[in-house]
Amino acid sequence: MITSIGYAAKSAKAALEPFSFERREPGEHDVLITIDYCGVCHSDIHQARDEWGGGTFPMVPGHEIVGRVERVGTKVNKFKVGDKVGVGCMVDSCRHCQPCERSLEQYCENTASWTYNGMLQDKKNPTFGGYANNIVVNQDFVLRIPDNLDLAAAAPLLCAGITTYSPLRQWQIKPGQKVGIVGLGGLGHMAVKLAHAMGAHTVVLTHSPNKREDALRLGANEILISTDADAMLSHQGSFDFLLSTISAPYDINAYLNLLNLDGTMVFVGVPENPFTLQAFSMIGKRRRLAGSLIGGIAETQEMLDFCGKHNITADIEMINIDKINEAYERMLKSDVRYRFVIDMKSLKP
Ligand code: NAP
Ligand code: ZN
Ligand code: ZN
């Protein structure tokens, strides 16, 4: 076994604290990765606090992992020692169900192995995430980070990047469309950069008026303050597409009313409570509402290559790992510009 050190929540809602644990020896197809940086996703908070239920503790969160290959198994042919690599929200899946065969491993019918708070495919051994010094992953779930991208700023691409790229691609966002990105946090700011790079007329919808300048700098054409009723009214029925990244409970009808005929709203944010949906928000303009979960492995590599080509990374605030609990509190106050990334050099044995 390999000894790992990291930070864990020992129980639901407990603060994160230093934790030592074991990972499997790398098998024939496995890669041992030394983790340099790990992004902090709002899903880490939801799960460490067991807001979605069914969490397994102790929990080592973290699924925006970047680092370097330290060791490879005898049958590994995609990576070599020293490669710059990443690991996102999954470390394995069944490989044989229909979604897996279509490289939609996130929708695996036999449950993907989530990077943490999940089970390996043996359905016996729990997974531990990237707030740690190393990780062992089957090479098929390891991603290649383009050389031109700063490694720390690329970490958030592994979840925030793919989670916003996938729906923008699925709904074929293109120049000339009016696209709204709802919530300017970790996911939202990546969505703005990606939608802008895809040529859409990009509008940021935020409940934080002080993010106006940032939104424009990140690539938004317009900004709409969601608490300004008149401004919201003036945009009614005008959007082709909306992507909501809001992490807290909100009135989804207020956003649906912004869509034009046949417009689509996709939510990726996962508030703790159910939505209340008014039928009239949907029927008048034949609107559509959909959800989306991260992206498959092939699409994640496609997104990374797209980001390499367009020189897109996250705007990050680097933290030492002992500041993780403070970072969570700041994220809950929408006070993050725009993704915390843990510098794993700060992790001490
Ligand atoms: P984040 O950085 O904390 O950003 C969330 C943003 O939501 C905030 O910055 C804020 O934007 C907005 N917001 C927060 N509270 C709000 C409120 N009460 N009313 C209106 N807006 C509010 O979080 P994140 O890491 O981007 O994650 C966002 C959500 O996506 C989380 O629920 C996370 O679990 C989920 N997620 C889903 C997937 C998936 O596959 N579907 C993947 C990753 C994450 P403004 O200040 O601009 O209003
Ligand atoms: Zn995430
Ligand atoms: Zn499967």
Side-chain angles (χ1 to χ4, degrees):
M1 299 296 262
I2 288 182
T3 302
S4 300
I5 54 168
Y7 263 56
K10 296 272 175 66
S11 64
K13 302 193 168 42
L16 271 63
E17 56 177 288
F19 178 62
S20 150
F21 57 103
E22 289 192 325
R23 302 198 191 260
R24 68 176 184 274
E25 271 304 318
E28 291 178 330
H29 301 279
D30 289 337
V31 172
L32 170 64
I33 300 166
T34 297
I35 301 175
D36 290 314
Y37 306 100
C38 185
V40 181
C41 179
H42 207 112
S43 301
D44 299 348
I45 307 180
H46 290 307
Q47 292 179 86
R49 300 189 173 183
D50 209 19
E51 290 172 357
W52 299 339
T56 48
F57 296 87
M59 185 188 298
V60 178
H63 58 206
E64 292 185 338
I65 299 166
V66 290
R68 281 160 200 281
V69 173
E70 187 73 39
R71 206 198 305 167
V72 294
T74 51
K75 299 214 169 125
V76 168
N77 50 12
K78 298 181 186 167
F79 300 97
K80 58 179 189 332
V81 171
D83 284 355
K84 278 181 8 180
V85 293
V87 178
C89 302
M90 299 177 281
V91 289
D92 210 347
S93 69
C94 87
R95 319 283 187 111
H96 56 70
C97 70
Q98 256 210 20
C100 281
E101 287 193 342
R102 294 171 59 198
S103 194
L104 295 168
E105 299 87 356
Q106 74 275 34
Y107 303 117
C108 174
E109 287 167 1
N110 301 301
T111 312
S113 296
W114 308 115
T115 300
Y116 68 88
N117 193 22
M119 287 283 174
L120 294 175
Q121 286 301 298
D122 62 10
K123 309 290 181 197
K124 285 190 200 113
N125 285 297
T127 53
F128 295 106
Y131 296 2
N133 61 337
N134 58 28
I135 191 165
V136 177
V137 183
N138 184 291
Q139 66 165 348
D140 296 337
F141 283 73
V142 177
L143 287 310
R144 190 171 292 286
I145 308 294
D147 262 330
N148 59 315
L149 299 183
D150 176 74
L151 196 57
L157 300 179
L158 275 307
C159 176
I162 183 58
T163 301
T164 51
Y165 180 89
S166 184
L168 291 171
R169 277 287 187 239
Q170 176 66 26
W171 277 272
Q172 301 175 10
I173 297 313
K174 50 185 177 296
Q177 286 181 317
K178 182 171 173 181
V179 168
I181 306 300
V182 189
L184 194 64
L187 267 59
H189 96 292
M190 287 312 311
V192 172
K193 293 185 185 204
L194 293 167
H196 174 75
M198 291 173 193
H201 181 87
T202 307
V203 183
V204 165
L205 292 91
T206 175
H207 83 312
S208 307
N210 59 355
K211 292 182 182 171
R212 180 183 295 276
E213 298 310 315
D214 285 349
L216 298 174
R217 177 179 53 76
L218 292 165
N221 300 92
E222 288 181 68
I223 174 157
L224 179 48
I225 308 300
S226 54
T227 49
D228 179 341
D230 290 340
M232 289 291 273
L233 204 60
S234 71
H235 282 262
Q236 279 220 357
S238 71
F239 283 86
D240 297 297
F241 185 79
L242 287 169
L243 181 61
S244 172
T245 71
I246 299 179
S247 53
Y250 64 102
D251 177 15
I252 199 164
N253 305 286
Y255 296 98
L256 286 167
N257 286 323
L258 298 172
L259 291 173
N260 58 18
L261 180 62
D262 289 329
T264 300
M265 173 166 178
V266 175
F267 57 89
V268 289
V270 193
E272 205 172 347
N273 304 315
F275 292 121
T276 301
L277 184 63
Q278 305 286 352
F280 281 113
S281 312
M282 304 280 298
I283 63 172
K285 289 191 182 290
R286 199 165 58 188
R287 293 168 174 135
R288 296 141 197 217
L289 177 62
S292 182
L293 178 65
I294 51 173
I297 293 298
E299 194 176 41
T300 304
Q301 190 61 60
E302 178 191 306
M303 176 275 310
L304 287 166
D305 296 342
F306 179 90
C307 288
K309 186 169 157 216
H310 294 269
N311 231 326
I312 294 175
T313 52
D315 286 27
I316 63 167
E317 179 174 340
M318 194 95 82
I319 56 165
N320 285 346
I321 199 159
D322 61 357
K323 295 286 183 238
I324 186 64
N325 295 303
E326 260 171 60
Y328 279 12
E329 290 310 317
R330 282 184 53 194
M331 282 173 77
L332 290 170
K333 290 188 233 142
S334 304
D335 175 24
V336 48
R337 302 275 192 287
Y338 277 88
R339 194 59 138 187
F340 290 113
V341 169
I342 303 167
D343 183 352
M344 226 47 80
K345 283 195 293 294
S346 62
L347 185 60
K348 299 283 181 286

